[in-house]
Amino acid sequence: MRFFKSLKGRLMAMIAIAVIVTGSVVLVFSYFVTRSFFRDEVFLSVESVVSRTKREVQTVVSNSKDAAESVSTNIQLFENVGLYLTNPENPEIVQYIDGVLAESVLKFPEFDNIYVAGNEGTIISATSNPGPGKATTGKKAPEEALRVVNQDRVWADFGVEDGKTYISMATPIRLPDTGVITGLTLCTGFTPGIDRILSDTSGFGATGETTISRLSGSYVKTLLPLGEEGNVLADRLLYIGTDYDLPSVRAARGETGEAEMDIPDAGKEVAAYDFLPEAGWGVSASVSSAEAFSHLGRLRNIDLAVILVLLFGGILFSFVVARSFAKPIEELQRGVKLLASGRLNARVTINDGLEVSELADEFNTMASQLDEVYGTLENKVRERTRELQEANERLKELDDLKSEFVSIASHELRSPMASMKMGISTVAKELVGPLNEEQKMMLAIAEKNMDRLTKLTTDLLDLTKIETNQLDLDVGEHDLIELARDVVEANEAQACHQGLDLRVISPDIVSPDGRIEAICDYDRIYGVLQNLISNSLVFTEKGSIVVSIEKIDNTAGICVEDTGEGIPAEHIPGIFEKFSKAHFETRSEKRGAGLGLAIGRGIVEAHGGKIFVESELGKGSKFCFIIPLRGKNEREEVNTDS
Amino acid sequence: MKEKKSILIVDDNNDIVTTYGVVLERMGYRVSVAYDGNQCIEKIKEDKPDLVLLDVFLPGLSGSEVCRMIKEASQTKDIPVVAITASMSTDTKKRMTEVGADGFLLKPIDVTDLSRVIKEFVGV
């Protein structure tokens, strides 16, 4: 069903229906028109056979009748029969009549035998030639013939002997113009003409049958034609009850017309019938409907066959036509789909010369333009990307160069500083002579700034290493609690001097042996913690600085919490960047190099850890860092834990 | 005896203030000190100096703002201002020139340079 929802399917269905319906309607219509004409034609042909037969039979009968009347219309015969009726014992009269008959037979060869009967019916004289119509004197002539003849009419009969048809013609013996009838003559002779007529089935089917019939008492006497190829029928005469509705019965009753009749034991037949009044005979012709209409049947079969051909041909035709219409559209659709899926080289080739091919040309133009635009765009993107990459690489090179420069510069700075430090410290300690107070003060300032410069140089070098990923960690297993205690111990004097409470909270519950072992670079972690404590010492006026250590799962956390001035909230983000904003907002004498926290973060991260800060202005700050106990490879866990 | 010429040193670094102070006093000038811009403006109002040695890099009011304030006020605009900077970038120099700085000194400052610049603006 999905097929019929497609363009091709619908087109096909439409065309097929149009072709098949139109064709079928035309064929059925033509069939019925033809049938109607054909039926008329069949009836007409049967009718023409009947009228032809009638005409021919009429001629034969008429000839016989003329001959028979010539025999009977004989004044001597009339008188002698009259005499015989009054004096039947006179042999001369009979002899005379015998002579007339012998003469007549010779004169009319169409008759084989003739006999004469008196008007009361007794046969007076008869010939006895071979053939039909032999009679015996003294016997009675047929009653029917006698009655008809006595009414001054001719009685015509037919019969069959040796399979051949004969006609008997009874005519009155009378005196002309008087109406007196003394007897009758009955002439009988084979009439091959009748058989020829009945056998002539030209223009008629094989089942065609022509008959002659006449009423005889309560029966209809019917003469059937000779069988096919001259075969003699056993009995060519039939006596049919008048109540049967057959063409021969209708004809014998004097009806004229044609009809399709239902014949018992024979089926339908097309029949025509007519009547010869001068003989009282009916002529009928009939042919089986099956044969008569066999052409019509064949026509119907041909029509059905054509309809079948139309059905398949229509479907095939519609398929071909629908395909020829749908194919370019499908092709176009395929192209559009391809294009839509990003295949910009999609083109369609349609050469039907119709609108679709124009559409296809338009599509191709569009696709080409799209392709071109995309191509240009892609080239531009590629170009820009390459430029960006190049710029990026140059930046990286520059950055590397800068780092290298700083590294070298830091090293180069150390040598002159070493001799300056040596010179200043030697003079300041009065090893080369006594100094006055002013000289001592100036040298102390110089030495202090010298130390700061040295520290700055060292920090710069460390930061460079961190930024260029060149920081080498000298890792080993160290107890972080011990480390924290070492740092605190080193700063105790300064804290004491400032009146601050500096201590370590190392919760023994964390570890049974009071140790938190971590794989780390001792000096670097020491440096980070030292930096945090130094910062706290600088920014804390009074109160305490507490270093706490905790073990959380596989990580260790170290915090430095002070009661100092705290950090403004806006400075907290980015506080671990080098030279952060917080650095520049700090008073000069409290200001360090501005690199400590950045270096701290670099070292902690190099250990796979994290550093962070919480602070409230005026209340203090809490800097914490956590590192994995088993080294950097456990960094992931640290991240998820935090 | 002729009154000593006075010089105002503006810097937030105590070491610098101390050492410059010692040197300038030895050279025979009267020295006053300001640790930031606001202090500087106050000191000038109290006692008008003959020269201001102004560090460009100051907490709070920046050196250029302080310089502009000095040069905009009619009572103080004739005081020569020598800007002391750590970086002699054209940007810094341009900005300071715009606000009216009279001279420049680049850190670190040699005692010879210091005395030469001071003599140029103040005399001995």
Tab-separated table of all heavy atoms in Angstrom, chain B residues 4-24:
chain	number	residue	atom	x	y	z
B	4	LYS	N	68.057	76.689	53.868
B	4	LYS	CA	68.243	75.456	53.051
B	4	LYS	C	67.043	75.232	52.126
B	4	LYS	O	65.909	75.510	52.480
B	4	LYS	CB	68.371	74.245	53.975
B	4	LYS	CG	69.726	74.110	54.635
B	4	LYS	CD	69.756	72.819	55.439
B	4	LYS	CE	71.091	72.664	56.143
B	4	LYS	NZ	71.067	71.507	57.052
B	5	LYS	N	67.356	74.761	50.927
B	5	LYS	CA	66.281	74.384	49.988
B	5	LYS	C	65.619	73.094	50.494
B	5	LYS	O	66.307	72.234	51.034
B	5	LYS	CB	66.857	74.128	48.581
B	5	LYS	CG	67.581	75.329	47.987
B	5	LYS	CD	66.621	76.221	47.227
B	5	LYS	CE	67.416	77.384	46.590
B	5	LYS	NZ	66.531	78.296	45.863
B	6	SER	N	64.293	72.998	50.335
B	6	SER	CA	63.622	71.795	50.840
B	6	SER	C	63.186	70.864	49.679
B	6	SER	O	62.765	71.327	48.633
B	6	SER	CB	62.409	72.175	51.678
B	6	SER	OG	61.402	72.702	50.857
B	7	ILE	N	63.317	69.571	49.954
B	7	ILE	CA	62.947	68.546	48.959
B	7	ILE	C	61.972	67.564	49.597
B	7	ILE	O	62.209	67.094	50.709
B	7	ILE	CB	64.180	67.790	48.451
B	7	ILE	CG1	65.103	68.766	47.682
B	7	ILE	CG2	63.797	66.599	47.562
B	7	ILE	CD1	66.439	68.213	47.316
B	8	LEU	N	60.833	67.286	48.870
B	8	LEU	CA	59.854	66.319	49.373
B	8	LEU	C	60.045	64.984	48.635
B	8	LEU	O	59.963	64.932	47.408
B	8	LEU	CB	58.432	66.843	49.144
B	8	LEU	CG	57.290	65.900	49.526
B	8	LEU	CD1	57.310	65.557	51.017
B	8	LEU	CD2	55.943	66.498	49.139
B	9	ILE	N	60.310	63.937	49.446
B	9	ILE	CA	60.456	62.601	48.844
B	9	ILE	C	59.122	61.851	49.000
B	9	ILE	O	58.602	61.746	50.112
B	9	ILE	CB	61.571	61.789	49.524
B	9	ILE	CG1	62.900	62.556	49.466
B	9	ILE	CG2	61.722	60.420	48.877
B	9	ILE	CD1	63.990	61.948	50.316
B	10	VAL	N	58.560	61.409	47.867
B	10	VAL	CA	57.299	60.647	47.937
B	10	VAL	C	57.570	59.214	47.452
B	10	VAL	O	57.819	58.968	46.272
B	10	VAL	CB	56.206	61.284	47.064
B	10	VAL	CG1	54.842	60.611	47.343
B	10	VAL	CG2	56.110	62.775	47.295
B	11	ASP	N	57.538	58.260	48.432
B	11	ASP	CA	57.755	56.838	48.075
B	11	ASP	C	57.197	56.008	49.215
B	11	ASP	O	57.283	56.407	50.372
B	11	ASP	CB	59.252	56.553	47.895
B	11	ASP	CG	59.478	55.288	47.072
B	11	ASP	OD1	58.933	54.222	47.456
B	11	ASP	OD2	60.196	55.365	46.046
B	12	ASP	N	56.623	54.839	48.884
B	12	ASP	CA	56.053	53.994	49.946
B	12	ASP	C	57.086	53.036	50.503
B	12	ASP	O	56.816	52.327	51.448
B	12	ASP	CB	54.812	53.246	49.454
B	12	ASP	CG	55.161	52.269	48.359
B	12	ASP	OD1	56.125	52.533	47.587
B	12	ASP	OD2	54.471	51.220	48.232
B	13	ASN	N	58.273	52.985	49.911
B	13	ASN	CA	59.321	52.101	50.405
B	13	ASN	C	60.195	52.839	51.421
B	13	ASN	O	60.876	53.804	51.092
B	13	ASN	CB	60.167	51.599	49.229
B	13	ASN	CG	61.127	50.497	49.640
B	13	ASN	OD1	61.839	50.623	50.644
B	13	ASN	ND2	61.154	49.416	48.871
B	14	ASN	N	60.172	52.305	52.649
B	14	ASN	CA	60.879	52.963	53.742
B	14	ASN	C	62.379	53.007	53.537
B	14	ASN	O	63.037	54.001	53.847
B	14	ASN	CB	60.538	52.224	55.039
B	14	ASN	CG	60.812	53.096	56.256
B	14	ASN	OD1	60.641	54.317	56.189
B	14	ASN	ND2	61.263	52.481	57.324
B	15	ASP	N	62.914	51.900	52.956
B	15	ASP	CA	64.371	51.837	52.717
B	15	ASP	C	64.812	52.932	51.773
B	15	ASP	O	65.829	53.600	51.987
B	15	ASP	CB	64.748	50.473	52.125
B	15	ASP	CG	64.552	49.361	53.149
B	15	ASP	OD1	64.458	49.689	54.349
B	15	ASP	OD2	64.473	48.186	52.735
B	16	ILE	N	63.989	53.114	50.724
B	16	ILE	CA	64.341	54.154	49.737
B	16	ILE	C	64.276	55.540	50.370
B	16	ILE	O	65.203	56.360	50.243
B	16	ILE	CB	63.401	54.061	48.509
B	16	ILE	CG1	63.803	52.829	47.687
B	16	ILE	CG2	63.430	55.328	47.670
B	16	ILE	CD1	62.958	52.540	46.510
B	17	VAL	N	63.175	55.769	51.098
B	17	VAL	CA	63.024	57.071	51.756
B	17	VAL	C	64.211	57.357	52.680
B	17	VAL	O	64.800	58.449	52.657
B	17	VAL	CB	61.696	57.111	52.549
B	17	VAL	CG1	61.617	58.355	53.411
B	17	VAL	CG2	60.517	57.048	51.593
B	18	THR	N	64.619	56.350	53.439
B	18	THR	CA	65.723	56.512	54.398
B	18	THR	C	67.045	56.831	53.713
B	18	THR	O	67.721	57.807	54.043
B	18	THR	CB	65.882	55.222	55.236
B	18	THR	OG1	64.611	54.859	55.745
B	18	THR	CG2	66.870	55.417	56.371
B	19	THR	N	67.349	55.977	52.702
B	19	THR	CA	68.654	56.176	52.040
B	19	THR	C	68.720	57.499	51.281
B	19	THR	O	69.708	58.234	51.371
B	19	THR	CB	68.972	55.029	51.078
B	19	THR	OG1	67.797	54.764	50.282
B	19	THR	CG2	69.347	53.767	51.823
B	20	TYR	N	67.586	57.826	50.544
B	20	TYR	CA	67.571	59.116	49.816
B	20	TYR	C	67.701	60.264	50.820
B	20	TYR	O	68.411	61.262	50.593
B	20	TYR	CB	66.262	59.276	49.023
B	20	TYR	CG	66.147	58.429	47.778
B	20	TYR	CD1	67.064	57.407	47.529
B	20	TYR	CD2	65.146	58.662	46.854
B	20	TYR	CE1	66.943	56.636	46.403
B	20	TYR	CE2	65.028	57.897	45.716
B	20	TYR	CZ	65.935	56.873	45.500
B	20	TYR	OH	65.832	56.107	44.392
B	21	GLY	N	67.011	60.093	51.947
B	21	GLY	CA	67.029	61.134	52.993
B	21	GLY	C	68.452	61.418	53.488
B	21	GLY	O	68.882	62.579	53.538
B	22	VAL	N	69.157	60.328	53.791
B	22	VAL	CA	70.536	60.463	54.286
B	22	VAL	C	71.396	61.206	53.263
B	22	VAL	O	72.090	62.165	53.590
B	22	VAL	CB	71.112	59.061	54.601
B	22	VAL	CG1	72.626	59.150	54.845
B	22	VAL	CG2	70.416	58.448	55.789
B	23	VAL	N	71.277	60.758	51.997
B	23	VAL	CA	72.092	61.348	50.931
B	23	VAL	C	71.789	62.842	50.755
B	23	VAL	O	72.696	63.680	50.716
B	23	VAL	CB	71.877	60.595	49.599
B	23	VAL	CG1	72.519	61.331	48.432
B	23	VAL	CG2	72.434	59.168	49.686
B	24	LEU	N	70.460	63.168	50.671
B	24	LEU	CA	70.072	64.554	50.393
B	24	LEU	C	70.459	65.484	51.545
B	24	LEU	O	70.861	66.625	51.323
B	24	LEU	CB	68.562	64.641	50.102
B	24	LEU	CG	68.135	64.011	48.776
B	24	LEU	CD1	66.625	64.002	48.629
B	24	LEU	CD2	68.767	64.749	47.580
